[in-house]
Amino acid sequence: LFKAGGLAAVPAAAALGAIVTPPGLAVTVVGSAVSGVAGLIGKNRIDVASEEAAKPAVAKVIVDLGVDGPNVAEEIRAVQQKFGVEDEDFTEMCCDVYKKYLIGMVKTPITTTSEMKELSNLRKALNLNNQSVGESHAAAAAEFYRQTCLFTPVEDLDDPEHPDRISIDKFLFLSERAFRQGEETIEAFKYEMSRVSKAFGIKIDEAMERVAEIAEPFYQQALDTARAKIGGDASSAVSPDMLTRARNSLGINVNTANDMHIATFSEEVKDLLGKSDSMGDDVDLSGLKFAEGARDRLAKLQETLSIDDTDADYEISVEGTPLFQAKALSVMNEAIDGSINAEAAWEQIKGRQNELLLKDDAMKDLLASMVMQAMGKPFEETITFANVNNEGATYDKLLDALGAKEACRDVLQQSGWSDFDDFEATFFDPFSKSSACGFLSRADRLRLYRIFLKRAVLKSESGKELTDDNYAKVVEVKGMLGITDDDEADEFRKAFGPELQKVLNMAMFEIMGDDFTEALVTNMKESVDKVVKDYRLSDNLVANFAAPIYMRAVTIVNEKTPGGVPTSEKISQLDALRDLLGMSKDDTYGAHLEVFGDSYKTKVSESMGSTGVITKEFREPLEKLRERLGVSEEDSRALYLKAMEERMVPMVEWIILELERTMLTAEQLAQKRKKDFGEDYFKTGKGADGNLGLGAEANIMTDCMNLIDFYTENDIAEQKQIGMKTIEKKVLEGDEEKTVTEEVPDYETVYPITGLGSNAVQEELAELLYRQFVVGGFTAQGPQGQRYEASRATLGGILGLGKEKMEEITNSIGGTIYENYISNSMRTKGSLDQQDMMFLANIQGKLDISSEDSEKMLLDTQKKILSEEANSIVANELGPEVVKAFREKCNSMGMELEADVGLSKSVVEQMFETEVSPALVNGDITIESGDKLTEIQESFGLSPEDAEQAFLDIILKRAQSAMSRVKAELIRGREENCTEIVQRLVRYAQFVNGDLELQVEEATAWKIFNMYEAMDFEGEEAEAIEERKNLLKIALGLS
């Protein structure tokens, strides 16, 4: 791939400025004379003007042995040793040699691939590292640019054809290769390349573009060679690995290489087809095709260039498509004209495909494009005639378009490809601009369809029907123009709706007239059916016209029925009309509800009577009336509830007024209602009274029960299934009774009309009324009380309260009762006994309080009472007996003072001190009382650490108090009063090993100690006495 020749001879000649340096030339150095070496190397190679002898010697070695000589590196090292040059100085000399060699090399503008190898060998011979190479290239670039600009204007260097510009580009190319071959990091490469670019006054991006302009022609030569050797001797063929090595050597990146590979492949495709860029437009392309063997040649080239199938197929398709299109379009038009049949057309198309090496996938897209073009001409001609209102010609051209479509379909069916099975969806999608009808606007497509539909009817013998043949054409045109089902229905309605409307109206008036017979219905139905059949009208279209016509008939019946209830004869006529119109019973419910709904609701209201309850004897007549009026069960239920709501609202409002009367004075109620109720409206002027501070007067309870009876006896509440539940039931299996489980529907009661929903009551008043009713039921006795309790949830539902809100209210009432009762019991008896628990259980049942809520109320009330008692004990500083009794009461109830009763830690510690401190003073608690202290600590719920700290604080405080009393007695000369106090100090000291933190003067301390030592300890062990004395000394600070 690279230029053949001796790698040593070529660079040497370039360095000397000569074409070739004779390999046998003897070069000698006399002493260290520079002129001898200079004469051999010349001005275009290494500058030997240096006075140092080593540098010319290095140059001589390079010239003699060549940069690729087998021992050139060792000889250069020998020069260093011969002249005794330091490593750093010698490296600098070698860099200068490399620099001048590089400058000499680029002064010849022509770039050869061998120069990359030459420069790499020079670097190895001179043993230069990456840094040295970078410095050499940067210095060489600066010097070369300076020399060049002495003789060449800068503006000339912008001319890519100028020799000096070519030399600079060569320099950039060799620098890029040198840095890349040195395997620099990306950062280091950019740095070195930027320095070289800057020396030439250009940016690195432009420099890399110039490098590519030099490298790519070399690589293109390699690709051309590879292409030329395809099909030749296998031993001389170019392999993908060889191209990879060439690409890497030249620094061509993968993307660029891939583009060049594809371009090379494309050129081969053109050549094999016989295409050239010089061909004019008048050249006949029909004869161009791939010769025999072209497929194999392209496959081998594709493999060599490592091109994937997709790219290769694309390049073949790009070149072959225009050639295929010309042939395919011509054949398709011949098939449309009828010149050839579909089988022959496909044979020619398939043959052209094989000639152009096109694959089926490409073929499908091309053929689709051919269909679009073939259909384009008929459509254009059709719209042209439509634009001038020539409906006859428009109809004919649409028929031609149908013929063209069928011809195209027949040809494509020969392919056997499933892609074209749904022909309309593939080629006539109105929402795709690339479809055959895509260039037509929706308005134009509808206009063409409308014309064709109208003409199809006129083409019939009667001129008033759509024959089977013409209807089939209409369907075909619909698909060809991309008309949707909705648009089709709309066009049929516009075209034939008036005729249908006319015959339906005539049938309706005849049937609903006074001279009704069964024969009339039969004859009218035949007339309607004929119109529907003749114009191929859909059921939906007939239904759209039927509904308003039936509505008109029901209105006519109502107008002729002063009482609002039609006769059975009229109902029969309506039924006959309904059947003629093809309507179901459900379809007519809307009309009957609109016309007869008020009549049904009025009858419901009248059936209530004065009590508001519809009795059984009125239920059956109402059902018969519903059937007569033709109102559905669902609609009648809604009307029934509406009538009930109108009756219920005043009842609720009256109860709320009564409730407010019990809660407000006359003046307050008048102000709230904006109405004067008079002085005699209120029997008393006082506020409400009753159990628990809530009024529950008998008239409200009675009115509430009336409301409940009204609601339940009129079957207003409904049962709604919310899921399934499992129940147990007993069954007999033989003689044995067994319990089995069964899944049954789970229902909940739904209240369709409510006080809140009807705006008859505000939410806070609804809650208050429910509270009143619950209290009334709780305080009532006997059967009446039971009736109230059973109706409680029903009233809440009628008012519109949710289950959670009702539970909240009952729990609130229960909480008040629990709190009052438990408080009284605990204050009188100290705790709750079995009788109290039975009473609370009864309350729980009456108020329907859950076990969990009941237990919580009991616990909360007990906590509240105990907390208040504890606060009273602390505030009034009651004695240890009271504290102990309170502690033991809490323990007996299983409550911890801090965690359950809610006392703070400081309060618990204060109570601990109240109980423990007196016992410590009087000697009930001594160093031997550990178990007793532990029992008290655990009873108070204190941790061992907190109890220990609290006990220590008590000891220290009591010790300070005792010492103050001792000092006071001693000052007053009453030593006899100190005996018991000093003994107490000794007891305190025993708990803390004497460390009572006392501040005592030494004289006073000795006086106290001597007093203790003189006490009578008869009967006590000497060791114990001595131990107590030592503790006292420690406490008094005498040890």
Side-chain angles (χ1 to χ4, degrees), residues 396-447:
D396 293 338
K397 286 300 178 183
L398 282 172
L399 289 177
D400 292 343
L402 279 180
K405 186 189 82 166
E406 289 303 315
C408 292
R409 191 209 303 266
D410 292 342
V411 171
L412 294 186
Q413 282 180 343
Q414 297 296 318
S415 68
W417 295 329
S418 60
D419 303 65
F420 302 135
D421 287 348
D422 192 346
F423 199 77
E424 279 77 14
T426 304
F427 298 106
F428 299 98
D429 180 5
F431 303 105
S432 172
K433 289 295 183 183
S434 61
S435 72
C437 62
F439 73 96
L440 295 173
S441 67
R442 178 174 180 271
D444 285 339
R445 289 185 290 106
L446 288 176
R447 181 154 56 102

Side-chain angles (χ1 to χ4, degrees), residues 382 396 474 502 757 791:
T382 300
D396 293 338
V474 169
K502 177 181 177 182
S791 303

Side-chain angles (χ1 to χ4, degrees), residues 845-896:
K846 276 182 167 290
L847 295 179
D848 195 21
I849 300 173
S850 66
S851 299
E852 294 79 7
D853 290 338
S854 174
E855 184 177 348
K856 184 177 183 300
M857 289 179 190
L858 176 60
L859 189 60
D860 290 345
T861 302
Q862 288 176 326
K863 286 181 180 179
K864 180 179 179 183
I865 294 171
L866 291 174
S867 179
E868 292 173 353
E869 185 176 349
N871 292 333
S872 176
I873 291 173
V874 174
N876 297 321
E877 299 183 357
L878 301 179
E881 296 79 6
V882 176
V883 172
K884 180 179 180 182
F886 176 76
R887 170 173 60 82
E888 292 176 344
K889 180 196 295 185
C890 291
N891 294 158
S892 68
M893 298 172 64
M895 292 196 178
E896 294 186 6

Side-chain angles (χ1 to χ4, degrees), residues 959-975:
Q960 293 290 348
S961 176
M963 179 54 67
S964 297
R965 287 191 58 192
V966 169
K967 289 179 180 180
E969 295 294 340
L970 291 176
I971 290 175
R972 291 167 177 76
R974 297 196 291 261
E975 294 183 0

Side-chain angles (χ1 to χ4, degrees), residues 140-265:
E143 183 174 336
F144 180 67
Y145 188 65
R146 180 179 57 78
Q147 294 174 1
T148 301
C149 290
L150 290 175
F151 304 101
T152 304
V154 176
E155 54 270 18
D156 288 352
L157 297 180
D158 292 334
D159 180 8
E161 304 298 327
H162 195 283
D164 289 338
R165 161 64 183 268
I166 296 174
S167 292
I168 292 175
D169 291 348
K170 178 179 180 180
F171 194 108
L172 293 171
F173 172 72
L174 293 175
S175 297
E176 188 270 344
R177 286 292 80 212
F179 299 150
R180 292 289 192 192
Q181 291 169 355
E183 298 182 353
E184 291 278 22
T185 63
I186 295 177
E187 293 75 11
F189 172 80
K190 288 182 178 179
Y191 171 73
E192 299 294 359
M193 201 65 195
S194 295
R195 289 208 296 171
V196 173
S197 303
K198 186 176 181 181
F200 290 116
I202 61 177
K203 294 182 179 180
I204 186 173
D205 292 340
E206 181 182 350
M208 296 307 295
E209 291 176 1
R210 293 192 187 185
V211 169
E213 290 173 358
I214 291 180
E216 289 175 12
F218 284 120
Y219 191 61
Q220 186 60 53
Q221 291 176 14
L223 295 177
D224 292 341
T225 300
R227 178 183 164 195
K229 292 186 176 183
I230 293 294
D233 185 4
S235 61
S236 64
V238 177
S239 68
D241 290 340
M242 294 171 66
L243 289 177
T244 300
R245 289 195 296 272
R247 177 174 63 79
N248 292 335
S249 175
L250 293 168
I252 305 296
N253 64 50
V254 175
N255 292 333
T256 301
N258 187 57
D259 291 342
M260 295 177 70
H261 287 194
I262 292 175
T264 300
F265 186 83

Side-chain angles (χ1 to χ4, degrees), residues 963 994-1003 1005-1006 1009 1029-1039:
M963 179 54 67
D995 187 11
L996 294 175
E997 299 182 4
L998 299 175
Q999 300 294 326
V1000 188
E1001 294 179 358
E1002 186 175 359
W1006 280 113
F1009 180 78
K1029 288 180 181 180
N1030 289 333
L1031 289 174
L1032 182 58
K1033 277 186 177 183
I1034 295 172
L1036 297 173
L1038 297 176
S1039 58

Side-chain angles (χ1 to χ4, degrees), residues 542-843:
V542 175
N544 288 337
F545 280 90
I549 289 174
Y550 186 84
M551 180 66 186
R552 175 59 180 154
V554 175
T555 304
I556 291 173
V557 170
N558 186 53
E559 291 171 351
K560 295 181 178 181
T561 308
V565 180
T567 63
S568 58
E569 289 78 9
K570 289 299 180 184
I571 294 299
S572 297
Q573 289 174 261
L574 285 174
D575 290 341
L577 177 63
R578 184 193 69 221
D579 292 339
L580 180 141
L581 295 174
M583 299 175 70
S584 66
K585 190 83 171 177
D586 291 344
D587 294 335
T588 64
Y589 284 148
H592 283 260
L593 174 63
E594 183 175 342
V595 175
F596 300 124
D598 286 342
S599 297
Y600 181 78
K601 187 167 75 70
T602 300
K603 293 298 182 181
V604 172
S605 299
E606 292 174 354
S607 300
M608 294 184 201
S610 59
T611 62
V613 175
I614 299 178
T615 57
K616 289 184 178 180
E617 59 266 25
F618 288 102
R619 295 294 178 94
E620 186 176 349
L622 280 176
E623 176 61 19
K624 291 182 177 180
L625 176 63
R626 180 192 71 77
E627 294 176 354
R628 170 71 64 84
L629 295 177
V631 179
S632 68
E633 291 185 6
E634 182 180 356
D635 291 336
S636 66
R637 177 65 178 172
L639 294 169
Y640 181 84
L641 293 177
K642 185 65 177 175
M644 292 297 166
E645 182 179 30
E646 292 176 358
R647 187 63 175 265
M648 188 186 80
V649 167
M651 297 174 68
V652 175
E653 291 175 342
W654 171 258
I655 296 173
I656 295 302
L657 182 60
E658 284 289 295
L659 175 65
E660 290 179 329
R661 187 183 67 79
T662 65
M663 307 299 295
L664 304 174
T665 65
E667 292 76 12
Q668 290 173 331
L669 185 62
Q671 183 177 3
K672 185 176 189 305
R673 295 282 184 166
K674 306 298 182 184
K675 179 180 179 182
D676 184 6
F677 287 89
E679 293 296 329
D680 59 344
Y681 184 82
F682 292 87
K683 295 181 179 179
T684 65
K686 64 180 181 178
D689 54 14
N691 293 320
L692 304 178
L694 294 173
E697 297 189 0
N699 57 339
I700 292 180
M701 300 299 291
T702 301
D703 290 339
C704 286
M705 290 308 301
N706 289 339
L707 176 61
I708 293 169
D709 292 341
F710 166 81
Y711 210 94
T712 54
E713 292 182 27
N714 282 317
D715 296 326
I716 298 175
E718 300 171 352
Q719 295 299 310
K720 177 183 178 183
Q721 183 175 347
I722 57 175
M724 301 294 290
K725 63 181 179 179
T726 303
I727 63 169
E728 292 183 351
K729 68 176 185 178
K730 296 187 180 298
V731 296
L732 283 176
E733 291 187 3
D735 296 333
E736 184 181 358
E737 185 179 69
K738 290 186 177 181
T739 301
V740 296
T741 59
E742 182 181 357
E743 289 286 321
V744 297
D746 187 15
Y747 294 96
E748 70 173 359
T749 303
V750 177
Y751 298 86
I753 55 174
T754 64
L756 289 173
S758 303
N759 295 320
V761 59
Q762 297 177 348
E763 187 170 0
E764 59 270 19
L765 288 175
E767 294 174 10
L768 181 57
L769 176 59
Y770 181 74
R771 175 181 288 272
Q772 289 285 85
F773 190 80
V774 173
V775 172
F778 174 72
T779 56
Q781 301 297 321
Q784 186 69 2
Q786 295 176 0
R787 186 165 181 255
Y788 290 158
E789 291 176 22
S791 303
R792 187 168 57 224
T794 303
L795 177 65
I798 294 171
L799 292 176
L801 300 177
K803 183 178 180 181
E804 293 78 9
K805 177 59 68 175
M806 287 188 278
E807 288 180 356
E808 178 185 332
I809 294 172
T810 54
N811 288 347
S812 173
I813 296 171
T816 302
I817 298 173
Y818 270 46
E819 182 176 340
N820 292 339
Y821 184 82
I822 294 172
S823 298
N824 292 333
S825 296
M826 292 186 67
R827 289 190 182 100
T828 57
K829 296 185 286 188
S831 62
L832 300 179
D833 55 22
Q834 184 176 3
Q835 182 179 358
D836 295 327
M837 298 306 294
M838 290 178 63
F839 176 80
L840 293 176
N842 183 44
I843 299 300

